[in-house]
Amino acid sequence: MIYVLLSVCCSVIVSVLLKLAKRYSIDIFQAITWNYSMAMILTWLIYRPVLNNVQGAPVSIYGSLAVLLPSLFVVIGMAVKTAGIARTDVAQRLSLFISLTAAFLLFNEAFTAWKFAGLIVGFAAILCAIPWSKQTGDRDNNGSAWIYLLVVFVGFGVIDILFKQMATFKGVPFPVSLFFAYLGSFVLSLIVLAWMVFTGRLKSPLRHIFFGWVLGVANFGNILFYLKAHQALSANPSTVFSAMNIGVITLGTIIGMVVFKEKLTTLNKIGIVLAIIAIVIITYTQTH
């Protein structure tokens, strides 16, 4: 379970770093761009992907991820800034709701009463977690917080589906596909960043690069330890699945309330409890 704990910590650290970005005047887009350079380097150093046999690679999936990963990262930064860590983590983890729906609609997976119950509870959790009032986050932008949360929810669901398609593609090893997804994300982000710097819209001091590299270590660590947890507990994937998601919501909520003084309404707290229940139900449906 140590790998699960490390993965949970890395995931929450990403949210904490995005929360701290505003405090230290870090430009989110620049940090996200350099984050992918570090994730790409770490993928190369740890997995040593062999890149000489990528014929027939799922280029469309790589391209989609290259666009969606950095774009969604920017939105996550805005969600953490306006809605707080707790709600953003709930929105991210409840994207399982979309994955489960896609499994039913797109991949013809059997639909059971338990799956339906998980979807209903997950939908109720989403409604409760939305910051309907303007009590937390950046007051100037709080009215748009629910939009950022919705994009995080939908975006992570789509990315999860793309990663599953990439992982099940037998023609190219997963580490190779992961490297190309990070490479594409970095190259596209770097092109946009270079254009913004060239046109004078942004300046790029070194602190943005260093912050992005730290963010990249945490981002990559989340994936690395999550995969290692599944390898170590291969006979109990549901344990990894539920512990990871519940752990992120719980730790994210605690840090958000204790460290950053985020205020949650009673309805929000009910939403977090319902989110945990929904994840337990969805995990149950995957093993029964």
Side-chain angles (χ1 to χ4, degrees), residues 18 114 143 145-146 204 250 266 284:
L18 292 174
W114 277 110
W146 70 271
S204 188
T250 304
T266 300
Y284 179 83

Side-chain angles (χ1 to χ4, degrees), residues 177-195:
S177 291
L178 188 63
F179 177 82
F180 278 117
Y182 284 146
L183 175 62
S185 299
F186 176 59
V187 170
L188 287 181
S189 299
L190 190 61
I191 291 173
V192 175
L193 178 59
W195 176 78

